[in-house]
Amino acid sequence: MNLKIKLITVALILNFICSILMAIININLGLIVMIIGMIVVPLLINTFSFIVGQGNRSILNVFIMSIFNLIYYIITSNSVMHNTKFKEVLAKYSYEKGDFFIHMNANLTALSQLIFIFLFYFVISFLVMKLFRKSVHA
């Protein structure tokens, strides 16, 4: 199998499997578990895909993998937002005192969130790709 296709296929399959698992696990997730499940896992999938698809690391591959990661994020976010315990998590991590307040956005799929998360996945994956490229040539 062509290394480029292998890289993208591995990323797609792993993102799909993790999306299903996060939808099934839709239980009382703490904030740390939500962050790990929605943000860190896709980056680990990308890293694993770079290891499996050894020779073909291009910016197009990173872009395609970031789109898969974004789809995973949307599926997982919808699952988390429809969890009955999500409002409790929002309330638990919100703080307000006078003019100072910290709160989580209740809409995890807002356009600004999606743009930020796509750029986050893309930049981190690109840096990981560059790191693997340098380690291969060293």
Side-chain angles (χ1 to χ4, degrees):
M1 181 184 276
N2 184 349
L3 284 176
K4 182 178 182 179
I5 295 171
K6 187 177 183 180
L7 174 78
I8 292 171
T9 304
V10 167
L12 177 63
I13 291 170
L14 289 176
N15 275 293
F16 182 71
I17 289 170
C18 287
S19 297
I20 291 172
L21 288 175
M22 286 297 286
I24 291 171
I25 296 177
N26 190 14
I27 55 175
N28 185 12
L29 300 175
L31 185 62
I32 300 300
V33 174
M34 284 173 32
I35 290 171
I36 290 172
M38 293 168 46
I39 296 174
V40 175
V41 168
L43 295 172
L44 293 174
I45 289 171
N46 290 356
T47 303
F48 179 75
S49 298
F50 288 135
I51 293 169
V52 171
Q54 297 163 350
N56 198 337
R57 298 182 184 108
S58 70
I59 198 161
L60 178 62
N61 290 348
V62 173
F63 182 78
I64 292 170
M65 290 167 53
S66 296
I67 290 174
F68 294 157
N69 295 150
L70 185 65
I71 293 168
Y72 164 81
Y73 175 83
I74 292 169
I75 292 169
T76 306
S77 297
N78 283 325
S79 176
V80 168
M81 286 187 310
H82 288 96
N83 187 328
T84 56
K85 302 290 184 180
F86 183 63
K87 298 253 187 252
E88 292 174 22
V89 171
L90 287 175
K92 181 178 178 182
Y93 291 101
S94 294
Y95 176 77
E96 206 170 315
K97 186 172 184 179
D99 291 337
F100 179 77
F101 65 94
I102 299 173
H103 67 91
M104 286 178 53
N105 188 354
N107 184 4
L108 298 176
T109 57
L111 183 60
S112 61
Q113 292 281 108
L114 296 179
I115 291 170
F116 171 78
I117 204 72
F118 174 79
L119 291 173
F120 179 78
Y121 288 144
F122 183 80
V123 168
I124 299 297
S125 296
F126 181 77
L127 292 174
V128 168
M129 179 194 68
K130 288 292 188 183
L131 178 70
F132 273 95
R133 188 176 286 166
K134 288 207 188 267
S135 68
V136 168
H137 295 300

